[in-house]
């Protein structure tokens, strides 16, 4: 079945460090890919998305490129801030017959950024 | 401001008791979803609804029930048949044009067993 695998956390960085959170997927067909962020005590927010190969999603300094050849969608940020501390989820939906189908999530990666 | 409101934030259930979690949205979205989040796990889909008066089971619907009598409301009942209900429950919504791409979730309800 379809699945998403994220690097296990927790990830601890110092402020202004470079961030990479790896995400790979297994899917039949052509998925759309997403990164969601969950701040402490809150629900999830859509951070960025990419709907086809080689697309780059970006938001708030975060970027991820849809790499079909490596089935990956790694999240990157050049300089993290304390306020980026959160849990990050990679997710996918499949497009079947012109419609998207059920969002499948990875297990999440906890990021802690220290001042 | 538009958004999704879940209540209560914390809920305690006694053995053999049914409890209902509220989810209300004022975004005029057609689709609504319920997810369960357990520590170290991704989100798992319980139920979803694409339109009023219609809903479908997700991956882990056993022990749960829902209704969708109004567009803005999608309450989830955790029944006594759900043997391991302790979890964080998240509600989400999306417009029909962005089905399965919820932009925002509610802030969740944390359910615990007494």
């Amino acid at each position: 079945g379809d699945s998403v695998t994220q690097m296990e956390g927790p990830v601890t960085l110092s402020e202004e460090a470079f961030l990479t959170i790896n995400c790979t997927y297994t899917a039949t067909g052509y998925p759309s890919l997403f990164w969601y962020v969950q701040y402490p005590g809150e629900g999830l927010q859509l951070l960025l998305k990419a709907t086809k190969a080689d697309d780059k999603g970006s938001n708030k300094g975060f970027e991820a490129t849809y790499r079909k050849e490596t089935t990956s969608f790694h999240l990157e940020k050049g300089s993290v801030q304390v306020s980026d501390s959160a849990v990050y989820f990679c997710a996918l939906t499949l497009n079947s017959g012109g419609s998207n189908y059920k969002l499948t999530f990875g297990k999440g990666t906890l990021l802690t950024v220290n001042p | 401001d538009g958004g999704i409101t879940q209540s209560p934030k914390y809920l305690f259930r006694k053995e053999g008791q049914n409890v209902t979690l509220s989810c209300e949205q004022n975004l005029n979205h057609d689709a609504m979803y319920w997810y369960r989040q357990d520590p170290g796990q991704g989100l798992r889909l319980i139920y979803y609804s694409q339109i009023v008066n219609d809903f479908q089971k997700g991956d882990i619907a056993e022990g749960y029930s829902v209704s969708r009598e109004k567009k803005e409301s999608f309450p989830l009942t955790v029944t006594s048949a759900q043997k391991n209900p302790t979890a964080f429950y998240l509600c989400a919504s999306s417009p029909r044009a962005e089905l399965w791409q919820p932009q925002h979730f509610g802030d969740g309800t944390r359910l615990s067993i007494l």
Side-chain angles (χ1 to χ4, degrees):
Chain A
D2 309 319
S3 65
V4 175
T5 302
Q6 293 181 232
M7 65 185 287
E8 290 193 19
V11 174
T12 302
L13 297 173
S14 298
E15 205 163 26
E16 298 184 4
F18 184 86
L19 168 71
T20 300
I21 300 178
N22 290 338
C23 172
T24 57
Y25 66 88
T26 302
T28 53
Y30 303 96
S32 295
L33 301 171
F34 308 85
W35 278 101
Y36 283 85
V37 58
Q38 183 177 33
Y39 298 103
E42 297 183 8
L44 276 67
Q45 298 175 24
L46 180 61
L47 181 60
L48 53 85
K49 69 178 183 181
T51 57
K52 61 183 188 296
D54 300 324
D55 270 1
K56 177 186 284 187
S58 61
N59 186 24
K60 299 181 181 179
F62 291 89
E63 293 183 340
T65 301
Y66 188 162
R67 301 287 189 198
K68 185 180 176 184
E69 64 275 14
T70 54
T71 63
S72 64
F73 193 54
H74 304 321
L75 183 68
E76 296 182 337
K77 186 175 186 182
S79 176
V80 293
Q81 306 300 312
V82 172
S83 58
D84 293 326
S85 298
V87 180
Y88 293 82
F89 291 92
C90 187
L92 67 82
T93 64
L94 283 179
N95 189 289
S96 175
S99 298
N100 284 331
Y101 183 71
K102 187 168 72 78
L103 201 56
T104 298
F105 288 88
K107 293 185 176 181
T109 301
L110 172 63
L111 170 66
T112 301
V113 180
N114 295 319
Chain B
D1 286 341
I4 302 173
T5 302
Q6 290 188 240
S7 62
K9 193 169 182 67
Y10 299 95
L11 188 57
F12 298 92
R13 195 190 89 168
K14 295 181 180 179
E15 294 287 344
Q17 188 179 50
N18 293 353
V19 291
T20 297
L21 284 60
S22 171
C23 177
E24 303 279 331
Q25 54 100 357
N26 60 3
L27 299 163
N28 199 34
H29 286 172
D30 292 300
M32 297 186 74
Y33 318 83
W34 273 107
Y35 291 92
R36 170 178 170 142
Q37 184 179 17
D38 294 283
Q41 304 273 336
L43 278 68
R44 293 182 290 170
L45 182 67
I46 304 173
Y47 268 97
Y48 65 99
S49 169
Q50 298 184 24
I51 196 169
V52 175
N53 292 321
D54 184 59
F55 50 83
Q56 304 295 329
K57 293 182 179 180
D59 297 321
I60 55 166
E62 185 174 352
Y64 300 97
S65 66
V66 294
S67 63
R68 187 83 189 278
E69 297 176 1
K70 298 186 296 183
K71 188 175 186 178
E72 59 270 23
S73 179
F74 192 41
L76 173 73
T77 296
V78 184
T79 74
S80 57
Q82 172 49 241
K83 298 306 179 187
N84 184 25
T86 297
F88 191 51
Y89 292 86
L90 288 164
C91 179
S93 70
S94 66
R96 179 179 294 279
E98 295 179 356
L99 200 59
W100 297 113
Q101 299 182 43
Q103 299 276 348
H104 294 282
F105 287 62
D107 285 342
T109 294
R110 189 167 298 280
L111 175 63
S112 301
I113 299 302
L114 289 177

